[in-house]
Amino acid sequence: MGTSPVIALIDGEHHPPAVREALDRIERERGLAGVAFCGGEEKLAGGPLDGHYGRQVHDDPELALRSLASSAAAVLDLADEPVMPPPARLRLAALALHLGLAYEAPGARLEPPAYSPVDFAGVKLAVIGTGKRTGKTAVAGHLAGLLKGQGAEPVIVCMGRGGPAEPELVEAPLSLEELMALAAEGRHAASDYLEDAVLAGVRTVGCRRVGGGLAGEPAESNVPEGAVLAASLSPDALIFEGSGSCLPPVEVDRTISLAGAGALDALGAYRLLRADLALVGDAGDLDAVAEVCPGAVMRFSLRPEPVEDVPADARVALFSTGHARPQGIEPVVASPNLGRRSLLSLDLDRAAEERCDLYLTELKAAAIDTVAARAVRDGARVVFLRNRPVGLDGDLDRALLGVWSDA
C-alpha cells in the first residue's frame, strides 16, 4: 500500500460504523481524496450517505474517479461481493489506470502502465487490441497504405514475442527467398514487422517484447529504442502496432483499438478507454464496447484475399490461423492450423497427397519455416494471403484517415 491520498470505494453491505472507522484511519495515515459508494443496502439504514460515513460520499463511482483523479494517487477498494464482483472491480480498475491512478485491493496493487516519450514531430498512432488475432497487423498495414495514398510516408513499429533482440529496420519489399533465409538462420520469419513490410509495402521496424501485464504493459521491451530508429528515418507518421493484448510502451497522439470476443474480460476496458476509434470484430459486442469507449465505434470484418492472382485450375492448399476463405477460391485442402504445428504437419501431408500445386498462406506463425519450406520441397508455388479490413456499418477508410488527420 502507498502513502499518497486515495479515493476509497465502499458499499452498503458493510456495517457503516466499521467502514467509517476504516475511512478515519485511512485519512489519518494516507489522506483521503474522496469516497465513492458502489451500491448495496443490506446494512445501510435510511438517510443521506454523508451522515452514515461522516464525510461527503459520491454515489456514482465512475464519475467520482473522474472528478477526483487530479487530487489522488490511487483508488483503494474497500467494497466486496456481491456489490462488486470481479468484472465490476476490473471495470473500475481499468478506469483508475486510465486516469493515471494505481488500483489497490487487499493483496493486490495495479500500477498504470508507463509510456516513454518519443522525440518525433510527426503524427504518432497506435493500433492495439483487446487480445490476440483481433486484426492489428491487418489494420496497421491497411492504415499505412491509406497514408501512402495521401502522399504521406509512414513507418510501422511492431513489437512481437518473436521480434529481434535489437530493433531492426526492414526496407520493403521482401521476397519469399529472403524470408526463408531468415528462417534458415533460426529467426521467426513470419513476425509481424516482416508481414507488414511484405504485405503493406512500407518500411518497418521490428522490436521484441516479453510478457504482458493485465493492463498490457510488457515485462521487457525494446520498443522505445525502436521508436528512436523509426523517427530517425524522418517519416511523416509512426504507426505503433501492439502485440496480442500488450500495448506499445510509448506515448502516442491517437489510438485505434480492436475489440474481439470477450473484449471487456480482465482489463480489456483499459484498452478501450484509450481508443479514439474502436473497431469491433465479428465476434465482438458492439454495445458493450460503445458503453466504454470514449471515441467512435465501428463494426468491421477481415476479408481474406490473395496478394497475387490464383489460376482457376490451381489445386489450392489454404493455410490460416482461423477459417479464412477467400471469395472465389475453393481449396482442395483448408488448414486453420498455422499456429498449431502438430496438426499443421498432418495438413501438409494431406496437401501433398492431394497434389496441391499452390499453397495459399497467411504470413503468420509457421508460414515460412514450415509451410513455405514444404511447398518448395514439394514443388508447389507459394502465394500470401492478406486480410483486408472492411467497415460493416460505415466507411472504415474514412474513419482511419480521420484518426490520422485529427492528431
Side-chain angles (χ1 to χ4, degrees), residues 57-249:
V57 177
H58 301 260
D59 60 5
D60 186 320
E62 291 197 11
L63 286 179
L65 264 59
R66 293 183 186 277
S67 63
L68 298 171
S70 61
S71 58
V75 172
L76 178 58
D77 191 346
L78 301 178
D80 196 0
E81 298 189 50
V83 172
M84 287 283 280
R89 288 175 183 263
L90 291 172
R91 173 82 170 262
L92 287 178
L95 178 58
L97 298 178
H98 177 64
L99 295 171
L101 304 172
Y103 169 83
E104 299 176 8
R109 179 180 170 95
L110 297 173
E111 295 282 354
Y115 298 95
S116 299
V118 179
D119 185 11
F120 177 65
V123 176
K124 301 181 294 292
L125 306 172
V127 178
I128 65 175
T130 59
K132 194 172 183 179
R133 306 288 185 237
T134 52
K136 294 178 294 294
T137 302
V139 170
H142 187 70
L143 174 58
L146 292 174
L147 296 188
K148 285 174 60 180
Q150 298 295 309
E153 182 183 359
V155 172
I156 302 178
V157 181
C158 297
M159 57 189 289
R161 284 166 277 210
E166 300 293 335
E168 181 178 290
L169 171 64
V170 175
E171 299 277 1
L174 284 175
S175 67
L176 175 62
E177 290 71 26
E178 289 174 307
L179 293 174
M180 294 187 67
L182 292 175
E185 295 172 4
R187 300 181 55 186
H188 180 38
S191 193
D192 289 344
Y193 74 106
L194 299 171
E195 179 183 354
D196 281 327
V198 172
L199 301 185
V202 298
R203 290 182 295 178
T204 66
V205 173
C207 301
R208 174 180 294 180
R209 64 99 171 179
V210 176
L214 292 176
E217 185 173 19
E220 295 185 13
S221 161
N222 55 14
V223 171
E225 293 83 357
V228 172
L229 173 57
S232 73
L233 304 174
S234 299
D236 298 304
L238 295 179
I239 301 173
F240 293 94
E241 184 181 318
S243 171
S245 61
C246 204
L247 311 185

Side-chain angles (χ1 to χ4, degrees), residues 132-135 190 192 195 302 318-325 334-340 344 360-367 385 387:
K132 194 172 183 179
R133 306 288 185 237
T134 52
D192 289 344
E195 179 183 354
L302 296 174
L318 173 65
F319 298 92
S320 68
T321 54
H323 296 278
R325 288 294 181 97
S335 168
N337 295 317
L338 265 183
R340 306 179 186 91
L344 180 62
L360 181 60
T361 181
E362 288 182 309
L363 186 42
K364 296 182 181 298
L385 185 73
N387 291 298

Side-chain angles (χ1 to χ4, degrees), residues 280-298:
V280 183
D282 296 331
D285 185 333
L286 184 73
D287 292 336
V289 171
E291 185 179 336
V292 175
C293 177
V297 178
M298 177 181 295

Side-chain angles (χ1 to χ4, degrees), residues 309-397:
D309 290 336
V310 174
D313 60 351
R315 294 184 62 80
V316 175
L318 173 65
F319 298 92
S320 68
T321 54
H323 296 278
R325 288 294 181 97
Q327 187 174 6
I329 295 177
E330 291 295 332
V332 178
V333 173
S335 168
N337 295 317
L338 265 183
R340 306 179 186 91
R341 291 175 182 266
S342 59
L343 297 175
L344 180 62
S345 63
L346 300 176
D347 296 334
L348 286 165
D349 289 341
R350 284 199 299 126
E353 292 168 4
E354 293 288 350
R355 305 185 315 281
C356 293
D357 55 12
L358 191 149
Y359 287 18
L360 181 60
T361 181
E362 288 182 309
L363 186 42
K364 296 182 181 298
I368 302 301
D369 59 46
T370 303
V371 173
R374 180 67 176 268
V376 170
R377 193 185 87 184
D378 293 347
R381 176 186 170 197
V382 176
V383 172
F384 291 127
L385 185 73
R386 69 169 153 234
N387 291 298
R388 181 168 57 88
V390 177
L392 300 182
D393 51 11
D395 188 334
L396 177 61
D397 291 359

